[in-house]
Every structure is written in C-alpha cells, then in structure tokens.
Amino acid sequence: MEFTSRFVALGDSFTEGVGDDDPARPNGVRGWADRVAEQLGAADPNFGYANLAIRGRKLRQILAEQVDAAVELNPTLVSIYAGANDILRPRVDIDDLLLEYNDAVGKLAASGATVVMFTGFDARGSKVFGTMRGRTAIYNELVRGIAGDHGALLVDYWRFSEYYDWGMWAHDRMHMSAAGHANMAKRVLEVLKYDHSVDIPPMTPVPELSRTEALRANAQWFREYAAPWVVRRVTGRSSGDNLQPKYAQLTRL
C-alpha cells in the first residue's frame, strides 16, 4: 500500500509506550505515539505509521539503529526522544552526546520530514530521579538549540506541570501511566496544531500514606523496580534485550 503521509517514531521506552499496558499490541504496550497515529490516521486512509523505539536504548544506540531506518521509510513526520537513559548513568558527557544528536536531527530534517523533539521532564518530585535535574536542564537547553537550528517542533515536557500528579505515572514510578501517555498524545497533537479527540483515561488514585506506610511502599518499590533496574545497569543488560520494534514497517493501526 502506498502511504502519502508517514509518521515514524524513534526513541526508547518513552516512545515505545512502556507504562501504557495493552496485551493485544506488539510488545504489550500502546503509548502516546500509537495514540497520536490513531488520531492522525482516523481521517486519512493514506496514513502510515512505524514505531522503531525500544525500551532501554541509550542515545547512541537509538541513532545507530533507528535514524537511517527511519529515513528509508521516507517519513513526512518523525518524532525523536533520546538521551534519558544516558542521563541516569553515573558518568555522561552530555555535550558530546548532543553533538551526535544534532547530526542525527539534521539528517532527519534533511529528509524533508517535519521533526518533533522533546525536552526531558523535571523530576523534582522524585527523591531518586530529582537528583538528575541539573543534568536534565543542561540537556534541555542543548535540545532547544538543536530544535531551533533545524526547524524542529519542540514538545516542552519540562514545563508540563500536570505530570507532578503521581496518577500520571505507572507503578514503577519511571514511566508514564495510560493517563500520562494519553495526555502526552494531546500535547504532541497540540504542537502539531491538529484537532484531536484524545480521551484521558481515569488516573488511579494515589492514596495518602502514613510515614510507616510510605516506608513500606518505598521498600516494595525498590525490591520490584529499582533493584532490578540497578542490576541491569551493572551487568550491562537492558529491559529491551531481545525485543524488536513494535512496528518496523509502515502500517495502519
């Protein structure tokens, strides 16, 4: 089938859709990019969508595995968010990484596609990830410069205060919930200036916990999510090992 409009999404777990569970879909997740594709394709029978994102991928992996593959699909619209997994590493040269990011965005823009980029989220509400605010702020300023230089559209995640509500986050506290992904779809569509009908699923209420209950909940979170995450980093493994892209070729949802 010939598609005249082609949206290709690149990145890591954020774009793959982790946290927005849907067992009927490839890799078991839906996510904001799928939701955007559903809206863009609803009234366009010639709309095709590919999602090359894989959870756990770092910036250089995303650039090596996904950028040329995206260009080959001749996109008219491409989204890319890369670098979050690098920022969380003990050591990272953000300036050096973003030089490579700049070259990749330039290649995507040269394809003729509209490019959508993202700043990183301000995790000031998290005692764990909030320690990375300074790194994320530097990353964001460089991303804003790259977007400006290449005429890319910018989804400014850093400024989305609705994500300070824990109902926007999955149980792992690392990825957006279904509500968070749906809200991000709305945000992306607004940047694209596209009229949409995205519904936000009800957020799971976050109960008020006593100090003892909070300590118990935090300990459980560490055992179930944080500790396995640390082990993967130490051993060089990734949650995306052995996974394939959800939609490696253009398709209709």
Side-chain angles (χ1 to χ4, degrees), residues 15 37 47 51 69 87 102 122 133 148 157 159 171 173 229 238:
T15 301
F47 177 84
N51 189 322
I87 289 172
N102 175 75
D122 181 5
R133 289 185 76 203
Y157 196 8
R159 299 183 179 182
H171 293 300
R173 307 182 189 178
W229 181 83
S238 168

Side-chain angles (χ1 to χ4, degrees), residues 1-9 46-52 70 72-77 247-253:
M1 179 177 181
E2 289 293 329
F3 297 108
T4 55
S5 298
R6 299 168 295 277
F7 170 35
V8 182
N46 295 313
F47 177 84
Y49 167 60
N51 189 322
L52 308 182
E72 289 178 5
L73 294 173
N74 192 25
T76 55
L77 171 66
Y247 304 105
Q249 300 299 323
L250 293 166
T251 187
R252 281 190 60 83
L253 294 184

Side-chain angles (χ1 to χ4, degrees), residues 47-240:
F47 177 84
Y49 167 60
N51 189 322
L52 308 182
I54 296 179
R55 66 195 73 179
R57 291 298 197 259
K58 291 187 287 186
L59 186 144
R60 288 190 173 103
Q61 291 174 304
I62 292 168
L63 303 190
E65 298 171 4
Q66 300 176 25
V67 171
D68 287 343
V71 172
E72 289 178 5
L73 294 173
N74 192 25
T76 55
L77 171 66
V78 60
S79 71
I80 184 167
Y81 181 27
N85 288 314
D86 299 86
I87 289 172
L88 296 174
R89 293 302 190 275
R91 295 182 181 180
V92 59
D93 187 333
I94 297 175
D95 295 282
D96 191 48
L97 281 177
L98 270 289
L99 286 174
E100 297 180 39
Y101 202 18
N102 175 75
D103 292 342
V105 172
K107 180 180 288 188
L108 293 170
S111 74
T114 297
V115 179
V116 177
M117 300 181 67
F118 298 79
T119 56
F121 177 62
D122 181 5
R124 65 186 184 189
S126 169
K127 292 182 179 179
V128 177
F129 300 110
T131 60
M132 300 294 173
R133 289 185 76 203
R135 287 184 175 187
T136 305
I138 293 169
Y139 168 89
N140 288 349
E141 282 305 299
L142 294 172
V143 163
R144 291 188 179 102
I146 293 170
D149 289 345
H150 296 290
L153 301 177
L154 186 66
V155 180
D156 205 349
Y157 196 8
W158 178 267
R159 299 183 179 182
F160 296 168
S161 60
E162 64 267 31
Y163 287 93
Y164 298 143
D165 187 325
W166 279 107
M168 287 285 189
W169 296 90
H171 293 300
D172 66 6
R173 307 182 189 178
M174 302 178 189
H175 300 100
M176 296 182 295
S177 63
H181 277 282
N183 185 76
M184 186 59 66
K186 291 182 66 172
R187 287 289 198 169
V188 172
L189 289 163
E190 287 164 3
V191 167
L192 293 173
K193 301 186 184 305
Y194 188 88
D195 292 333
H196 60 80
S197 57
V198 175
D199 293 323
I200 307 296
M203 290 189 289
T204 301
V206 179
E208 291 288 335
L209 301 178
S210 67
R211 184 173 183 276
T212 300
E213 290 170 332
L215 288 172
R216 188 179 300 118
N218 288 338
Q220 181 179 0
W221 170 78
F222 185 84
R223 287 193 305 272
E224 293 184 8
Y225 300 108
W229 181 83
V230 171
V231 169
R232 288 196 299 271
R233 297 303 176 272
V234 171
T235 59
R237 292 182 292 117
S238 168
S239 56

Side-chain angles (χ1 to χ4, degrees), residues 7 15-41 47 49-51 53 55 178 181-182 185 198-199 201 243-248 251-253:
F7 170 35
T15 301
E16 185 189 349
V18 175
D20 186 6
D21 296 337
D22 186 342
R25 298 193 183 221
N27 296 356
V29 293
R30 186 179 182 187
W32 68 264
D34 282 19
R35 294 171 184 269
V36 166
E38 290 159 9
Q39 293 288 314
L40 296 178
F47 177 84
Y49 167 60
N51 189 322
R55 66 195 73 179
H181 277 282
V198 175
D199 293 323
L243 282 183
Q244 298 298 316
K246 291 167 63 177
Y247 304 105
T251 187
R252 281 190 60 83
L253 294 184

